[in-house]
């Protein structure tokens, strides 16, 4: 299949221990400001989105100890957590991953932050990168 399914880098997600400190650092150093901030209960995270052109830096911190991001921070420390690729149709892109034999975390698209529809692809079959497919 050669149709291009990825339309933009939606966001680069960075796991941090202290969301306020990370937001303040991006503001002080780069003048970046928060466009959207949201607690995503289903994922056990709070995120702050800093807009960069048509994409975002997504600063991410856990709100519960059982959050996957809490486990990530405990195991690997702060740093790059996942890449969000913008797609026109999340279900189509997710199916393309499955058709290629790829392992997915979300079997079907689900609600993401700021009203998006998302699905996560397991890093095991995507060269070590946790991928989030994001449909606006
Ligand atoms: Co994300």
């Amino acid at each position: 299949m050669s149709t291009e399914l990825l339309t933009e880098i939606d966001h680069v997600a960075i796991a941090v221990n202290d969301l306020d400190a990370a937001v303040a650092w991006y503001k002080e150093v780069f003048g970046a400001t928060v466009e959207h901030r949201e607690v995503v209960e289903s994922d056990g995270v709070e995120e702050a989105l800093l807009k960069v052109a048509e994409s975002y830096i997504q600063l991410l911190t856990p709100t519960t100890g059982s959050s996957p991001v809490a486990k990530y921070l405990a195991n690997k420390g702060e740093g790059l957590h996942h890449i969000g690729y913008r797609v026109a149709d999340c279900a189509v892109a997710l199916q393309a991953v499955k058709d290629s034999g790829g392992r997915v975390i979300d079997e079907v698209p689900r609600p993401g932050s700021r009203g998006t529809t998302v699905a996560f692809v397991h890093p095991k079959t995507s060269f070590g990168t946790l991928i989030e497919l994001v449909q606006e």
Side-chain angles (χ1 to χ4, degrees):
M1 186 153 97
S2 60
T3 312
E4 283 198 39
L5 298 181
L6 310 181
T7 62
E8 186 80 64
I9 304 294
D10 186 82
H11 61 276
V12 174
I14 301 168
V16 301
N17 289 317
D18 184 335
L19 190 58
D20 290 329
V23 165
W25 188 85
Y26 271 89
K27 184 175 174 59
E28 274 173 40
V29 176
F30 299 121
T33 55
V34 174
E35 177 161 304
H36 182 80
R37 189 159 169 160
E38 180 174 342
V39 172
V40 185
E41 297 284 0
S42 54
D43 291 336
V45 298
E46 181 171 8
E47 66 174 48
L49 291 171
L50 314 176
K51 197 152 197 223
V52 180
E54 297 306 313
S55 305
Y56 297 96
I57 298 163
Q58 180 186 71
L59 301 172
L60 204 54
T61 203
T63 53
T64 68
S66 58
S67 159
V69 175
K71 285 170 193 152
Y72 183 92
L73 284 169
N75 292 334
K76 300 190 173 175
E78 295 179 305
L80 282 180
H81 184 264
H82 66 271
I83 307 286
Y85 294 137
R86 202 170 296 154
V87 296
D89 187 325
C90 190
V92 167
L94 185 63
Q95 191 58 48
V97 173
K98 290 183 186 177
D99 289 348
S100 77
R103 196 167 142 192
V104 298
I105 292 172
D106 296 304
E107 284 297 328
V108 292
R110 62 180 177 84
S113 66
R114 65 186 166 92
T116 58
T117 299
V118 305
F120 278 90
V121 175
H122 199 285
K124 187 86 178 172
T125 51
S126 52
F127 306 92
T129 306
L130 176 60
I131 291 172
E132 179 178 11
L133 303 168
V134 183
Q135 177 185 341
E136 289 193 308

